[in-house]
Amino acid sequence: MLLRQLSGVDVRLSVTVPDGTVMQLPTEGPLHPLWLELACYLGKRFRSEWCTSEDRIVQEEFAQYPSADAFYRESEVYLYHLIGYWLEGCKRPAHAWLLQSTGNVRCSVLDYGCGIGCDGLWLLDAGYDVSFADVPSRSLDFLRWRLAQRLYYGSPVYELPLVGTIPQHMFIWCMDVLEHLPSAEHRDFLTHLATLGRFVLINFIDDKNADGTVHHPVDVEGLTAFLGQHGSLIYEDHYLSRTGNRTRFLCYGKEVPASLVRQRVPGGTQRLAEHEEEQR
């Protein structure tokens, strides 16, 4: 509800959030509603200068933590980064894949490694039955708040590692997760995801600057070959203009939808323009 109320508001100087705090916002507006939503959540802690996806800010913050795990669990800067990255529209090709694969059937989805839930909330708004899973963190706290604001009280949020089992879902959505795991764990992780649903939609980011700190190297070709040995697989490459990094979107599993196989050419290459349009 909150996001819809804020949508379209042309805020150039300040906004009063629910606790009565007047937040000073960037003058280069209008500010996107997602930033306004974060301002409402953080209140006095909100910092407009962090409203960006710049890697530099994340790297500086990352250096303040003793480990990557501590950073992802405790950093508030990371909330800003996840919003900024979402607004770049990098995952629109995967959204198109999803709509093609399910047609008018709005089935069950597990957003695995959901972070602040931008993808899962998009899926909920599109009519899918969505569950969320991630490690306990400030990101997951923000997600729970966002769900409550939208009155999505029936969407399960699983904290990882889970004691017990996650129910089977039609498909698993796992975007921008693999590069955060040590490279040695990638194959086991991909195998695990395939046990949770009929098929998996995932991306491999070929980050030229991955050094094992914020991002770990991803063996795009080797992992693609590995998945090809364990069931149906299709994939497509895209490029982000800002970084030049290749992102490979893949669909794999026991039951890759026939609609995708008919409409997609394995290995097709497209270029994704930065800020082509804002995510809605």
Side-chain angles (χ1 to χ4, degrees), residues 48-70:
S48 60
E49 65 269 25
W50 288 350
C51 292
T52 176
S53 62
E54 285 186 34
D55 294 336
R56 172 187 57 82
I57 295 176
V58 172
Q59 291 165 355
E60 291 174 355
E61 173 80 357
F62 189 90
Q64 307 301 314
Y65 287 86
S67 67
D69 183 66

Side-chain angles (χ1 to χ4, degrees), residues 210-280:
D211 58 4
T213 53
V214 179
H215 284 175
H216 295 266
V218 176
D219 180 5
V220 174
E221 301 303 334
L223 292 176
T224 300
F226 170 74
L227 292 177
Q229 299 170 5
H230 297 82
S232 301
L233 169 70
I234 57 173
Y235 64 89
E236 187 172 276
D237 288 342
H238 294 258
Y239 293 81
L240 180 63
S241 297
R242 179 173 65 85
T243 63
N245 288 337
R246 172 178 57 155
T247 294
R248 174 165 292 179
F249 294 99
L250 306 96
C251 183
Y252 72 95
K254 299 182 292 291
E255 300 180 35
V256 172
S259 57
L260 285 184
V261 176
R262 288 195 301 269
Q263 297 181 38
R264 292 285 170 176
V265 178
T269 299
Q270 297 184 8
R271 181 164 294 277
L272 181 64
E274 183 183 19
H275 300 306
E276 188 176 347
E277 62 177 289
E278 290 183 336
Q279 290 282 349
R280 298 300 179 190

Side-chain angles (χ1 to χ4, degrees), residues 140-171:
L140 208 60
D141 292 341
F142 183 34
L143 165 64
R144 287 191 172 99
W145 183 87
R146 299 180 77 192
L147 288 168
Q149 295 300 313
R150 292 162 174 78
L151 306 182
Y152 285 140
Y153 295 112
S155 296
V157 179
Y158 299 102
E159 292 190 357
L160 303 172
L162 186 69
V163 177
T165 59
I166 296 177
Q168 285 283 300
H169 290 71
M170 173 71 78
F171 70 88

Side-chain angles (χ1 to χ4, degrees), residues 68 72 78 82 176-182 186 213-216 218:
Y72 292 123
Y78 196 50
L82 291 175
D176 303 331
V177 174
L178 193 68
E179 68 276 9
H180 297 292
L181 301 174
H186 288 175
T213 53
V214 179
H215 284 175
H216 295 266
V218 176

Side-chain angles (χ1 to χ4, degrees), residues 10 25 48 62 73 95 108 121 123 174 264-265:
D10 186 349
L25 300 169
S48 60
F62 189 90
R73 289 176 184 269
H95 296 163
S108 62
L121 289 171
L123 292 165
C174 186
R264 292 285 170 176
V265 178

